[in-house]
Amino acid sequence: MTSSFHDWIVPHFNAWVYVIIMMTGLWAVIAKNNLIKKLIGLSLFQTSILLLYVSLGVKEGAGIPIIDHEAAALAMSGSDDALNPDRFANPLPHVLMLTAIVVGVATLGVALALCQTIYRDFGTLEEDEVLEQMKTLHDDV
Amino acid sequence: MIVPFDILILIFLVVAAVISLCVKDLLAATMVFGAYGFLICLLWATMGAVDVAFTEATVGAGVSTVLFVATILNTRRKSTD
């Protein structure tokens, strides 16, 4: 039990947590009745995917992917180790996820605007009440 | 990456996610979601993704919380689930 904990849980803890958060978000999107709660679940799902990709760029013993003045001077003087890629986290997943965060907030804004329109038209944000009202509207027509 | 710090933040992250989905008051849920945003911002910083941490703190935790609060002000604060 202890060895499996150390072999499987600790090294992959980011992986376990992003799967847990992703499934929590999926459950909220499917099972929650309130539209705002659904949107919170959607945002949780999104951040779990960001966590997956940023975790791919992590290296053991690496710092932030910025070359400081000291390392640049060392590199100028011919030292190879200053610009060794093992010393920096991989920045490619970071920039990709930067775009994903901004796009996610834009879509969240559109979704919240749609929620306000739904509230203005139906007077509620609960999904079952909205569906009920839509059904009676449809029956009247 | 500082492993004990990382594990602590990840545990808090799951707790914050579950609380923000379970609480019935939507404003409280939004505030816990903002706390979740700042926790994940700390996590990006420990993983060496400082640019993502900046963006998450301003855009993810700041702007999205403001958007949620504005929507709740224009609609209803109570939720049935």
Side-chain angles (χ1 to χ4, degrees):
Chain A
M1 173 62 204
T2 316
S3 77
S4 72
F5 183 77
H6 278 284
D7 291 346
W8 288 100
I9 307 289
V10 174
H12 310 289
F13 202 65
N14 274 19
W16 286 95
V17 169
Y18 76 65
V19 170
I20 291 170
I21 294 177
M22 186 187 283
M23 289 304 118
T24 314
L26 188 63
W27 164 73
V29 171
I30 294 171
K32 284 289 177 185
N33 198 26
N34 190 288
L35 293 177
I36 304 279
K37 281 289 177 69
K38 276 181 194 284
L39 288 181
I40 290 178
L42 204 64
S43 294
L44 291 179
F45 196 99
Q46 189 209 356
T47 46
S48 77
I49 291 166
L50 304 184
L51 186 57
L52 157 67
Y53 277 95
V54 175
S55 301
L56 291 180
V58 172
K59 295 173 193 165
E60 200 161 343
I64 59 174
I66 294 173
I67 301 173
D68 54 9
H69 291 298
E70 211 173 310
L74 273 175
M76 286 293 223
S77 66
S79 163
D80 279 347
D81 189 51
L83 295 182
N84 186 355
D86 289 344
R87 297 185 55 194
F88 306 102
N90 185 0
L92 182 63
H94 301 175
V95 286
L96 293 175
M97 291 311 110
L98 215 56
T99 320
I101 291 176
V102 177
V103 173
V105 168
T107 53
L108 181 71
V110 175
L112 287 169
L114 286 174
C115 277
Q116 293 190 23
T117 313
I118 288 172
Y119 187 79
R120 218 175 32 232
D121 287 356
F122 294 95
T124 178
L125 278 180
E126 306 296 326
E127 191 193 13
D128 53 351
E129 295 172 20
V130 172
L131 287 177
E132 191 69 30
Q133 287 191 33
M134 284 175 78
K135 209 171 149 196
T136 54
L137 273 176
H138 189 70
D139 288 348
D140 287 346
V141 176
Chain B
M1 195 166 82
I2 311 153
V3 172
F5 192 55
D6 188 61
I7 289 177
L8 191 71
I9 291 179
L10 286 168
I11 291 168
F12 275 135
L13 211 59
V14 174
V15 172
V18 171
I19 289 176
S20 74
L21 289 176
C22 289
V23 78
K24 284 198 195 293
D25 186 351
L26 284 180
L27 196 60
T30 305
M31 286 306 139
V32 178
F33 185 66
Y36 172 91
F38 277 112
L39 282 171
I40 208 160
C41 157
L42 285 178
L43 193 63
W44 300 147
T46 63
M47 291 200 293
V50 277
D51 45 352
V52 187
F54 286 145
T55 315
E56 183 72 39
T58 54
V59 173
V63 176
S64 67
T65 308
V66 169
L67 291 176
F68 270 118
V69 170
T71 307
I72 291 165
L73 279 177
N74 280 333
T75 58
R76 192 185 295 171
R77 190 171 160 178
K78 291 277 167 268
S79 159
T80 54
D81 51 359

